[in-house]
Amino acid sequence: MNDNADSFYIPAEIKQDAQEATLRLLPAKSKRVYEKEMVEFDNWRKKRGLGEGAITEEVLLAYFFNVEKHFAASSMWTKYSMLKSMLKVHKGIDISKYGKLTSYLKVGSRKYKTKKAKILLERNQIEEFLEKAPDVEYLHVKVALILGVAGACRCNELTFLDISDVQDKGSYLYVLIPDTKTNISRSFTVMEEAFSVNAVEMCRKYISLRPKAAGRRFFLRYVDGKCTTQHVGINTIISKTFSKMASFLGLPDPESFTGYGMRRSSATLLANAGGDITTVKRHGGWKSTTVAENYIEESLSSKMAIIAEKIQVLPNVGEVVGPSSTSETPHRVNLNPGQNNKVVFELNVNVNINNNSK
């Protein structure tokens, strides 16, 4: 009996260690946001006289029914995900098994249409800005644009970019993004011939203007052609890069062009150039194929070049263009009217992707 009792005894320090280990299941970067969501749910529950034992599917349905009045469908799923993690860690309750609750959230999602950030898809618009915007006023914006589009960077990744993460390799820049939202470090290169300008020289010019007393941040406040020692915040320059560019180009409603446009434009330009979904995912550090696809904008130029040309541009009447049996050079096959001509069409698409990464 005593041996049995002793075998079930767990020392206080073991329980404490287990509790600390359990708390590590929550994402460190977003821990405060998760805790805030739990507090909001607990406050809602207590105001209605519901104890901890009343955390049931019916109660959660009522909670999200009330939350839906104040939040969009996309936010509902975010709040659900955070609350699910907190309840599992602190209460041992797995609400992912609540089928009615997830079905309710899915119904709400069908009514919601995602509003994508406006983007500058066309390459010539980006090049026009890089060529015509005066460096004395826009050099820092140009450099943010080059790095943002070249590396499909998030705004916070550019904001906290360290000067040591940008390495000059002579004919190109090697840029490392060590700390990302998905915990997948990635890197990319900026080539001299990027766009219609010497992008490497433009970045070098900005780096050369750094004061000796500047800190570790790559992006510093830029005024009248000079860098100061003050680093820039995410809401001052980085997230407004696209809106400043749109304003310079005279595009309507420039404030609607957000920093997310750089990331989406990067994915779209890569896809339009022939990059497959695997390449796009690796480029942007996306784990989910669905998420990566959501970042790719179906531009008119892409549709015309890839779809319309393949379907609508036909060979001359009475002729079919096909590969020769003895060579790779296409040849024409004459169709004889009135005869049962059996023709097999074969479409070969070769895509070469130059992946300059380390």
Side-chain angles (χ1 to χ4, degrees), residues 315-344:
N316 295 331
V317 177
E319 295 181 332
V320 175
V321 178
S324 170
S325 59
T326 57
S327 70
E328 295 182 358
T329 305
H331 71 281
R332 298 187 182 277
V333 180
N334 293 320
L335 301 182
N336 297 321
Q339 295 185 11
N340 184 17
N341 297 288
K342 184 177 181 181
V343 181
V344 177

Side-chain angles (χ1 to χ4, degrees), residues 146 173 190-194 197-204:
I146 290 170
L173 298 180
V190 177
M191 312 301 294
E192 286 184 343
E193 62 274 14
V197 299
N198 190 324
V200 173
E201 282 301 322
M202 191 168 286
C203 293
R204 283 176 183 153

Side-chain angles (χ1 to χ4, degrees), residues 56-342:
T56 63
E57 183 173 20
E58 186 177 18
V59 169
L60 286 163
L61 274 169
Y63 173 68
F64 280 101
F65 176 75
N66 284 273
V67 169
E68 189 181 30
K69 299 174 183 177
H70 308 285
F71 294 91
S74 56
S75 298
M76 292 281 286
W77 278 110
T78 301
K79 293 174 79 67
Y80 166 81
S81 178
M82 291 190 291
L83 188 58
K84 178 181 69 173
S85 297
M86 292 298 290
L87 288 174
K88 192 169 185 178
V89 168
H90 292 285
K91 310 293 183 183
I93 300 173
D94 185 6
I95 67 174
S96 64
K97 299 178 180 179
Y98 294 167
K100 290 182 181 179
L101 178 59
T102 54
S103 296
Y104 174 76
L105 294 174
K106 288 178 181 178
V107 170
S109 297
R110 297 190 192 107
K111 301 176 183 177
Y112 178 76
K113 187 176 181 180
T114 304
K115 294 182 180 178
K116 292 183 180 180
K118 287 188 177 181
I119 58 176
L120 302 176
L121 265 179
E122 300 304 325
R123 186 185 186 91
N124 61 348
Q125 290 178 305
I126 298 176
E127 292 179 342
E128 181 182 356
F129 175 74
L130 293 176
E131 291 173 2
K132 296 182 178 180
D135 285 356
V136 68
E137 183 179 357
Y138 291 98
L139 181 60
H140 58 317
V141 180
K142 290 181 177 182
V143 174
L145 176 67
I146 290 170
L147 297 183
V149 174
C153 296
R154 300 177 178 90
C155 292
N156 67 309
E157 292 171 351
L158 291 178
T159 301
F160 296 102
L161 186 67
D162 192 278
I163 184 64
S164 64
D165 293 331
V166 181
Q167 302 172 20
D168 194 333
K169 299 294 185 180
S171 61
Y172 67 94
L173 298 180
Y174 174 77
V175 184
L176 175 66
I177 308 293
D179 190 17
T180 68
K181 180 181 178 180
T182 55
N183 298 316
I184 300 176
S185 62
R186 66 181 195 280
S187 60
F188 62 93
T189 57
V190 177
M191 312 301 294
E192 286 184 343
E193 62 274 14
F195 304 108
S196 58
V197 299
N198 190 324
V200 173
E201 282 301 322
M202 191 168 286
C203 293
R204 283 176 183 153
K205 180 179 179 180
Y206 179 73
I207 294 173
S208 69
L209 297 174
R210 294 175 61 87
K212 292 182 179 179
R216 302 300 306 168
R217 294 274 189 93
F218 180 84
F219 283 102
L220 303 174
R221 190 165 180 264
Y222 183 80
V223 182
D224 297 329
K226 297 179 181 179
C227 287
T228 69
T229 56
Q230 181 182 359
H231 60 73
V232 300
I234 191 171
N235 295 319
T236 53
I237 297 298
I238 304 301
S239 64
K240 295 182 179 179
T241 296
F242 253 33
S243 64
K244 287 181 176 292
M245 178 178 169
S247 180
F248 177 83
L249 295 176
L251 298 177
D253 195 16
E255 292 301 322
S256 63
F257 290 81
T258 70
Y260 291 104
M262 290 188 290
R263 189 161 165 79
R264 180 167 285 123
S265 289
S266 182
T268 302
L269 289 172
L270 176 57
N272 287 351
D276 58 19
I277 192 61
T278 301
T279 304
V280 172
K281 284 171 63 179
R282 186 185 303 116
H283 174 60
W286 289 291
K287 295 180 180 179
S288 167
T289 298
T290 303
V291 172
E293 288 175 341
N294 286 337
Y295 272 86
I296 300 174
E297 189 76 11
E298 292 185 307
S299 66
L300 179 60
S301 60
S302 175
K303 290 179 180 179
M304 289 176 63
I306 299 175
I307 302 175
E309 182 179 351
K310 302 302 181 187
I311 298 177
Q312 301 173 35
V313 181
L314 302 176
N316 295 331
V317 177
E319 295 181 332
V320 175
V321 178
S324 170
S325 59
T326 57
S327 70
E328 295 182 358
T329 305
H331 71 281
R332 298 187 182 277
V333 180
N334 293 320
L335 301 182
N336 297 321
Q339 295 185 11
N340 184 17
N341 297 288
K342 184 177 181 181

